[in-house]
Amino acid sequence: MASLVLTDSSQLTSDSQHLVCHLLGDYLESIKRDFEKAGKMYKTNCDELNFPRSCYKFGNYLVLGKGRQEESHIGGLALLEKGCEKDHAFCCYYISGIFISGIKDTPIQKDMDKAFKYSTKACELGSIHACANLSQMYSRGDGTPKNPELAERFKKKAIEMQDGLLKPSPTLTFQEGVKPV
């Protein structure tokens, strides 16, 4: 059986390594159930290689206090913002959700203007849920002026995205090429 051993973070320098390192974190988290080591891998991959999926995972660890990480809502939010700046749609969507409701007993309060900002970016990056949230925000006037036309436009965009997910993709049969659906 082959094994992957990283002796120190100096091995995390190649651009092609960011995904492998993230997947190692996923393995440590999901299979080994070693959240502390997974958190360290995500942190290194976010800090040193700026891999947005790892920023999301470690930011979430901080928000939840997972993997023996000291709970830090502000630190977690900063990492999620770093992932969003690197165009990770789910980071942007996650942040919008944080600002839609705020986090009780923390300095992070409900802020619909920020929720709107992050939902807009997440929708632009292809988050169906963020587009649906934008539709509701425009419909209610939450974080933005009420605008029924834009509410309908983002509702249609979310429905189109949903339809694209539900549409069956063409199948490939051995030596026959792609068959139309």
Side-chain angles (χ1 to χ4, degrees), residues 47-77:
D47 291 346
E48 295 182 17
L49 295 178
N50 294 310
F51 191 56
R53 281 175 43 194
S54 293
C55 295
Y56 160 70
K57 292 291 275 207
F58 191 65
N60 197 35
Y61 271 40
L62 289 177
V63 169
L64 300 174
K66 190 174 181 180
R68 293 192 178 176
Q69 301 303 320
E70 183 177 325
E71 191 173 281
S72 171
H73 299 100
I74 301 298
L77 183 59

Side-chain angles (χ1 to χ4, degrees), residues 20-65:
V20 172
C21 294
H22 182 83
L23 293 174
L24 177 58
D26 286 348
Y27 169 79
L28 291 167
E29 178 184 55
S30 301
I31 306 299
K32 291 292 191 177
R33 311 295 292 165
D34 190 336
F35 301 109
E36 187 174 358
K37 285 183 183 175
K40 287 178 183 177
M41 182 57 65
Y42 295 137
K43 180 182 184 335
T44 300
N45 209 27
C46 175
D47 291 346
E48 295 182 17
L49 295 178
N50 294 310
F51 191 56
R53 281 175 43 194
S54 293
C55 295
Y56 160 70
K57 292 291 275 207
F58 191 65
N60 197 35
Y61 271 40
L62 289 177
V63 169
L64 300 174

Side-chain angles (χ1 to χ4, degrees), residues 113-181:
D113 291 337
K114 287 182 181 178
F116 177 79
K117 172 187 157 189
Y118 286 106
S119 288
T120 300
K121 181 162 185 182
C123 180
E124 289 169 357
L125 293 171
S127 170
I128 185 174
H129 299 87
C131 294
N133 282 351
L134 280 175
S135 174
Q136 290 299 309
M137 290 174 175
Y138 277 117
S139 179
R140 296 178 183 153
D142 279 340
T144 187
K146 198 173 195 178
N147 187 325
E149 293 82 23
L150 287 174
E152 187 61 28
R153 184 172 124 205
F154 283 102
K155 178 181 175 182
K156 285 180 181 177
K157 184 172 182 172
I159 290 170
E160 288 171 5
M161 290 173 153
Q162 180 182 21
D163 290 345
L165 292 173
L166 297 176
K167 181 181 174 185
S169 57
T171 59
L172 182 63
T173 306
F174 184 69
Q175 293 185 345
E176 293 183 20
V178 177
K179 290 184 177 182
V181 177

